[in-house]
Amino acid sequence: MASVAHVMPSATSSCTDRKQGPHQRLTGSQKIGCFSSPGLCQLKWESLLVKGVKHKRCSIPSRGTRFIQAVAVPVAPPSEDSADCRKQIAESYGFRQIGEPLPENVTMKDVIDSLPKKVFEIDDVKAWKSVLISVSSYALGLLMISKAPWYLLPLAWAWTGTAVTGFFVIGHDCAHKSFSKNKLLEDIVGTLAFLPLIYPYEPWRFKHDKHHAKTNMLHGDTAWHPVWKEEFDTSPFLRKAIIYGYGPFRPWMSIAHWLIWHFDLSKFRPNEVKRVKISLACVFAFMAIGWPLIILKTGIAGWIKYWLMPWLGYHFWVTLPPAPHIPFKSPNEWNAAQAQLNGTVHCDYPKCCDTIRANQSTKFYL
């Protein structure tokens, strides 16, 4: 997805004069930033989370203002004051907490070695239970759509869109090789799980692997990347697309990402193209067979009711704006462990939603 920086004044309270280590700057005066749910935020290169930056202040937005200044989380070992500052930031954005910065000497191997072996074990019962829950929830949703009066259709669509998100979770675990010990079975299940979403499995897997390998790296992360302020200021269309995309038309941001990243063969390495073509053939075959059957039985209105609206519900769930305090780093300043742990947001959904879509990964992965 895209993010944007823009300079806007705002009323703020602040934790001031936090000295967090030797001063070090990235060169240049370019501005880069993120678009957050409360509004636009300002984020300069100098305020990115980089090694050794001395942060003079971390600004906390007042709840009543729409435009906010970006916040920067210190990377040095936190003091009591910086912990208080993180607490204020978390409260301002509605987060449960903002974790402590990861010490610079901690590596990904250190993190992985600290985990119990159990989190790496594949649980076949749990995996197939998630398939059963998601398929049953989706089937029940389709039944609800067929029986519900028009005024209850939004509830039926919300249920079904949530349930079909469970298919994505299953395919996600297959892509991470955490669903089954049988890797061919994983690829088959992942491909089938993605078909109702019109998502080509292998292209998504390749891009998702790159996302995890380069989380929050400028020009490297494939999940989404920031938009330069210059681009935002000089393109009225882009500006409106981002503002409305993270507002009333949020699912369209996910749909745009789906189209841009997963159907263009030029975006993949030569050794990946064959598998990409197989996945694309499966998706197009599903569209060529499944869509006409739906229209034949229920008409265009039925295609909208039974497929399109739940599909938009799925895209609603997977379109979440990035947290405004998490920066992107240039490759020479990027650190894998810090990006994975300090650059990851954990979202808690209502338990009923997680139950409907079987939102449980079968294995720990980084």
Side-chain angles (χ1 to χ4, degrees), residues 289-300 302-304 306-307:
I289 298 172
W291 285 3
L293 287 176
I294 296 173
I295 295 172
L296 181 64
K297 295 292 184 179
T298 63
I300 295 294
W303 178 81
I304 295 173
Y306 290 99
W307 184 81

Side-chain angles (χ1 to χ4, degrees), residues 170-208:
I170 294 167
H172 174 273
D173 284 356
C174 289
H176 275 287
K177 305 304 177 185
S178 61
F179 183 85
S180 172
K181 295 178 182 178
N182 187 323
K183 301 313 170 186
L184 176 60
L185 178 64
E186 276 187 327
D187 289 341
I188 293 173
V189 172
T191 299
L192 293 176
F194 272 24
L195 285 183
L197 304 171
I198 312 300
Y199 244 108
Y201 172 73
E202 292 290 354
W204 182 86
R205 181 173 71 86
F206 290 137
K207 294 303 180 186
H208 192 64

Side-chain angles (χ1 to χ4, degrees), residues 24 39 78 85 161 163 179 181 195 215 227 233 248-249 295 305 331 353:
Q24 182 178 346
C85 189
F179 183 85
K181 295 178 182 178
L195 285 183
T215 301
V227 172
D233 288 341
F249 305 110
I295 295 172
K305 282 176 57 177
C353 295

Side-chain angles (χ1 to χ4, degrees), residues 330-353:
S330 58
N332 62 317
E333 291 290 341
W334 183 82
N335 176 280
Q338 291 179 354
Q340 291 283 4
L341 297 184
N342 290 138
T344 298
V345 177
H346 176 78
C347 298
D348 287 327
Y349 293 99
K351 187 171 180 59
C352 60
C353 295

